[in-house]
């Protein structure tokens, strides 16, 4: 049917049968879209634009119901989510708030479903595009930022929530001044464009998170992002240095506790220390007594070679790099 381009109710029904058996058949999803575009959509009379829009909306709603039934069974199937996006983009009357309610239902089952998070970003962008006011669009970003805080407090291992947070922060630093809430510290920071105060506030959240679960990779990856160029390049060197040294101290204290409990160093603590130490050494002047910091890099690399031998060449490269730059 596909090869012969047989677009009919029968072929549409057949795609439904196959997708009920196996929704991973992405070729069938593609064929189903061809049938809808070249057959079902064209069956709608175009004499009255309003009636045509309403009829198309009714057809898409029926398709969305089919898709939702599949998602309930297979919430991590790429092709089902893709097909739902396609449906919404072909309907001028798409209900974005209804889609957000649907996502909330999926989060109740699995708050870390990255498919649902990716879909949420898509829906939020579509919703923002439908708004005529820039102030209203910024409000949506702010509400999403608060949502990530809620989800992180619920489960610090929610990598998608941390990732979403990182994408929203830059937007809020640019446009949040239109929002007012004297009682919210984060909003005050965004409005003041104060990256230093933001980092201090965010590092408090990070510290709570890595003490809660020192082996959770999402927290450490977010910490590494926080100390990227977006923040550090705009801070005075003395403030950057203090932040780095204070964070290294906090991680060292955590690693001491982990060593006492488990009898060996925590790899994530050591890897994060290594990253922060390398950043710190770039800030130190040549005449600074930085030898102790360089020795610490060597010590950490030696420990990581023992704990993580599969990446021993990587740690040896770090040692060589520090020695060469010295």
């Amino acid at each position: 049917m596909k090869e012969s381009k047989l677009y009919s109710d029968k072929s549409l029904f057949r795609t439904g049968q196959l997708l009920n058996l196996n929704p991973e058949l992405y070729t069938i999803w593609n064929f189903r879209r061809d049938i809808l575009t070249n057959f079902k959509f064209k069956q709608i009379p175009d004499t009255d634009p309003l009636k045509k829009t309403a009829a198309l909306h009714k057809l898409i709603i029926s398709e969305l119901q089919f898709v939702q039934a599949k998602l309930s069974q297979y919430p991590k199937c790429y092709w089902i989510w893709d097909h739902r996006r396609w449906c919404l983009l072909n309907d001028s009357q798409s209900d974005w708030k209804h889609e957000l309610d649907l996502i909330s239902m999926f989060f109740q089952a699995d708050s870390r479903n990255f498919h649902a998070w990716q879909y949420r970003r898509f829906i939020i962008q579509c919703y923002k595009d439908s708004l005529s006011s820039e102030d209203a669009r910024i409000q949506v970003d702010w509400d999403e930022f608060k949502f990530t805080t809620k989800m992180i407090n619920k489960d610090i291992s929610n990598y998608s929530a941390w990732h979403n947070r990182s994408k929203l922060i830059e937007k809020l630093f640019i446009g949040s001044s239109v929002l007012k809430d004297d009682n919210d510290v984060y909003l005050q920071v965004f409005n003041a464009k104060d990256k230093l105060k933001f980092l201090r506030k965010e590092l408090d959240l990070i510290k709570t998170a890595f003490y809660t679960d020192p082996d959770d990779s999402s927290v450490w990856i977010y910490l590494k992002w926080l100390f990227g160029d977006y923040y550090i390049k705009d801070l005075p060197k003395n403030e950057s240095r203090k932040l780095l040294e204070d964070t290294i101290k906090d991680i060292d204290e955590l690693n001491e506790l982990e060593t006492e409990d488990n009898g060996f160093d925590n790899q994530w603590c050591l890897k994060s220390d290594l990253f922060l130490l390398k950043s710190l050494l770039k800030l130190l002047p040549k005449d600074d007594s930085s030898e102790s910091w360089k020795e610490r890099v060597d010590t950490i690399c030696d420990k990581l070679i023992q704990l993580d031998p599969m990446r021993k060449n990587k740690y040896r490269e770090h040692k060589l790099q520090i020695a060469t730059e010295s």
Side-chain angles (χ1 to χ4, degrees):
M1 286 179 171
K2 184 177 187 302
E3 290 176 357
S4 302
K5 297 183 179 180
L6 295 177
Y7 307 131
S8 64
D9 287 325
K10 181 179 180 181
S11 57
L12 185 66
F13 177 74
R14 293 297 191 195
T15 64
Q17 286 183 307
L18 277 170
L19 293 170
N20 284 333
L21 292 172
N22 183 3
E24 293 285 356
L25 294 169
Y26 60 86
T27 301
I28 306 305
W29 286 110
N30 291 338
F31 184 38
R32 189 174 181 87
R33 286 192 284 274
D34 287 341
I35 300 168
L36 290 169
T37 302
N38 296 293
F39 175 61
K40 299 299 287 185
F41 290 180
K42 289 183 177 180
Q43 283 187 321
I44 301 173
D46 58 2
T47 52
D48 185 330
L50 291 178
K51 288 184 178 179
K52 180 179 180 181
T53 299
L56 178 61
H57 177 64
K58 184 177 180 180
L59 176 61
I60 293 292
I61 289 295
S62 175
E63 189 68 7
L64 288 173
Q65 290 171 348
F66 171 77
V67 172
Q68 184 170 337
K70 297 299 101 192
L71 281 175
S72 298
Q73 295 176 285
Y74 308 95
K76 295 186 178 180
C77 177
Y78 286 94
W79 322 115
I80 309 177
W81 291 104
D82 286 347
H83 191 71
R84 192 169 187 89
R85 288 188 188 91
W86 180 87
C87 289
L88 293 170
L89 291 174
N90 278 278
D91 183 8
S92 61
Q93 296 182 343
S94 292
D95 186 344
W96 308 118
K97 291 187 177 181
H98 170 77
E99 295 304 305
L100 289 175
D101 290 339
L102 177 67
I103 295 166
S104 296
M105 181 184 74
F106 281 99
F107 281 160
Q108 289 176 7
D110 180 4
S111 64
R112 293 188 291 178
N113 183 342
F114 74 88
H115 296 274
W117 276 98
Q118 188 178 38
Y119 184 68
R120 184 181 180 90
R121 285 192 290 274
F122 164 77
I123 294 300
I124 288 296
Q125 187 58 54
C126 290
Y127 176 53
K128 285 172 61 179
D129 290 343
S130 72
L131 300 173
S132 57
S133 165
E134 181 61 29
D135 291 2
R137 288 192 282 269
I138 292 297
Q139 181 66 54
V140 173
D141 287 334
W142 172 237
D143 290 340
E144 279 301 285
F145 179 83
K146 291 189 290 185
F147 180 75
T148 64
T149 304
K150 172 186 171 182
M151 298 301 282
I152 288 168
N153 287 334
K154 182 179 177 182
D155 180 4
I156 64 160
S157 297
N158 197 326
Y159 179 86
S160 294
W162 289 110
H163 174 72
N164 223 34
R165 192 178 186 84
S166 70
K167 296 298 182 183
L168 292 162
I169 289 167
E170 296 184 25
K171 295 178 182 178
L172 289 169
F173 266 120
I174 293 171
S176 67
S177 57
V178 301
L179 306 176
K180 302 298 178 185
D181 185 346
D182 295 336
N183 297 318
D184 193 288
V185 176
Y186 272 115
L187 193 54
Q188 293 172 21
V189 169
F190 288 134
N191 288 342
K193 316 297 182 189
D194 192 338
K195 290 185 177 181
L196 177 60
K197 192 171 181 180
F198 173 81
L199 274 177
R200 287 173 176 160
K201 176 70 175 172
E202 202 73 343
L203 286 170
D204 287 340
L205 177 64
I206 287 285
K207 185 176 179 179
T208 300
F210 64 54
Y211 265 93
T212 302
D213 185 358
D215 291 313
D216 184 76
S217 60
S218 61
V219 177
W220 297 108
I221 292 170
Y222 185 72
L223 173 69
K224 188 174 180 179
W225 178 82
L226 279 179
F227 280 98
D229 288 341
Y230 178 73
Y231 297 102
I232 299 300
K233 69 178 181 181
D234 294 334
L235 301 183
K237 283 191 175 181
N238 63 317
E239 294 290 355
S240 296
R241 177 175 178 175
K242 187 175 188 311
L243 276 175
L244 284 162
E245 290 178 343
D246 289 347
T247 306
I248 290 169
K249 181 181 177 182
D250 289 337
I251 294 173
D252 287 345
E253 289 176 355
L254 172 63
N255 191 44
E256 287 178 10
L257 294 174
E258 285 291 289
T259 304
E260 289 176 8
D261 291 343
N262 303 318
F264 52 85
D265 293 282
N266 180 283
Q267 279 193 49
W268 281 108
C269 288
L270 293 181
K271 289 175 181 179
S272 299
D273 256 356
L274 181 59
F275 171 79
L276 296 175
L277 282 166
K278 290 182 69 178
S279 299
L280 177 61
L281 286 171
K282 292 177 182 178
L283 295 175
L284 298 177
K286 296 296 182 183
D287 57 350
D288 193 286
S289 56
S290 58
E291 288 304 316
S292 60
W293 293 113
K294 294 174 184 176
E295 290 172 4
R296 286 196 61 188
V297 170
D298 273 357
T299 301
I300 290 172
C301 286
D302 288 339
K303 287 182 177 181
L304 285 169
I305 288 170
Q306 297 300 315
L307 291 170
D308 188 19
M310 286 184 65
R311 297 173 182 82
K312 60 184 178 183
N313 289 333
K314 174 183 176 181
Y315 305 126
R316 287 170 180 166
E317 184 67 26
H318 284 309
K319 292 181 65 173
L320 179 61
Q321 183 183 355
I322 294 299
T324 302
E325 292 175 354
S326 301

